[in-house]
Amino acid sequence: MSTERPVQASPASSPRPAPVRLTSGAEAVRALEALDWAVVRAEKGASGDAAPFASCDDFRAAATEYVTDVRARLDRIMMSSDAEEGLEALREAGALSAMLPEVDAMVGFGDGEWRHKDVWKHTKQVVRQAVPRLEVRWAALLHDIGKIKTRSIS
């Protein structure tokens, strides 16, 4: 039997866990308010109100802390009578760049050769014309997300 004591690390040499970022809850609430604004635009049309301010961090906090609520709002927009307006509202509020950056990358992207020069406008049109089933609407929204990264010019 050994009588030696195990070597204990000094506090200075102990690995420290990465700090956990706690949100005050206000971040998530700001994002949920912006999503509610987008839902209203999708269901009742544009009002003249500017998009409520919410940062990318706000949307990420909401998506982390209130994933079910965020998904429910996005689904309401997708199934609304004016999903095209709701998607534009999500873009204006900053939600697309924070939560769906691949979709946000479609804004202004086009090749000039085809009938639809702007992939974002084309995608909103496809969503609008899609059968009103949730899975079909989401498929319509995401059907061209690979176009931006895979586009090559010969």
Side-chain angles (χ1 to χ4, degrees), residues 17 31-32 62 66 78 80 85 94 114 128:
L32 292 174
Y66 300 101
M78 295 301 290
S80 69
E85 182 67 30
W114 303 98
R128 183 184 71 229

Side-chain angles (χ1 to χ4, degrees), residues 26-128:
E27 291 172 321
V29 169
R30 279 192 300 267
L32 292 174
E33 287 171 353
L35 292 173
D36 286 338
W37 173 81
V39 168
V40 168
R41 276 193 49 188
E43 293 177 346
K44 298 182 180 174
S47 62
D49 299 339
F53 174 78
S55 70
C56 283
D57 287 340
D58 296 341
F59 286 109
R60 289 184 187 117
T64 301
E65 297 173 32
Y66 300 101
V67 67
T68 304
D69 297 320
V70 169
R71 178 62 191 266
R73 285 164 171 86
L74 293 175
D75 288 347
R76 278 181 65 186
I77 290 168
M78 295 301 290
M79 293 304 295
S80 69
S81 59
D82 196 352
E84 192 171 5
E85 182 67 30
L87 290 169
E88 193 59 35
L90 287 175
R91 188 189 66 75
E92 290 175 23
L96 282 186
S97 62
M99 296 188 298
L100 298 168
E102 298 85 359
V103 174
D104 189 56
M106 291 190 265
V107 177
F109 182 83
D111 56 20
E113 295 176 24
W114 303 98
R115 187 173 65 117
H116 296 291
K117 296 180 181 170
D118 184 323
V119 177
W120 175 236
K121 289 177 184 174
H122 161 72
T123 298
K124 291 188 299 181
Q125 180 183 10
V126 171
V127 171
R128 183 184 71 229

